[in-house]
Amino acid sequence: MGSRVARMFRNFNLENRVIREISREKPRAAPRHESGAPPPEVVDKVDTLSQKNDPLLSLLRSVYVESTDPAAEASKEVTEGKEGERRPLRFSFPGEAYGLVELTDVPRGKLTIAEALKALSSHQQHPQTWTLEKVAQEYSLDLKDTKALVEFFIPFQVKIIPPKSEDARQINAS
């Protein structure tokens, strides 16, 4: 009931109010501030910006900066020293895997993904035979790097968890 009363007051004399609002003159915009300075000439400034300043240009030509990065020089020396030291691959995937060019050798201290997976799985399956020292020697790695590899790089493992109840159905291998 209250909405009807509210609607009556809202729509009371609606047409007259709309006509009165439409016929009212629109407010005028505020006058702009008059400045005493003449408008700036943009053309002159563009011309001065595009001109070359000969004294500054001659000073710029006399400046020569040579910068060197000590870290880049040190890494360059290390890579130049080790570039000659390469070792043949110990293990690779059969065929051209994923259309990649087959490598024949790698730098000492580096592993391919296939070699890393093979070394980790060998160490994981036979830790007495494939000790960290043997893996490091076999793949020309530092012992510190080999320890980090075994600690932080874990190959994919499949664990089959048996069901808690003996009534549970399982998928049999085909």
Side-chain angles (χ1 to χ4, degrees), residues 74-93:
S75 67
K76 186 177 180 183
E77 291 172 1
V78 169
T79 56
E80 286 176 358
K82 290 189 176 182
E83 226 174 75
E85 301 177 22
R86 296 183 74 86
R87 63 170 183 79
L89 285 180
R90 301 278 185 219
F91 178 79
S92 63
F93 290 123

Side-chain angles (χ1 to χ4, degrees), residues 95-107:
E96 290 185 17
Y98 309 111
L100 300 175
V101 177
E102 186 64 30
L103 298 174
T104 57
D105 60 347
V106 292

Side-chain angles (χ1 to χ4, degrees), residues 53-74:
N53 192 340
D54 290 330
L56 291 178
L57 190 59
S58 64
L59 288 174
L60 183 62
R61 286 185 182 145
S62 67
V63 173
Y64 179 74
V65 177
E66 185 175 325
S67 113
T68 57
D69 185 10
E73 289 178 2

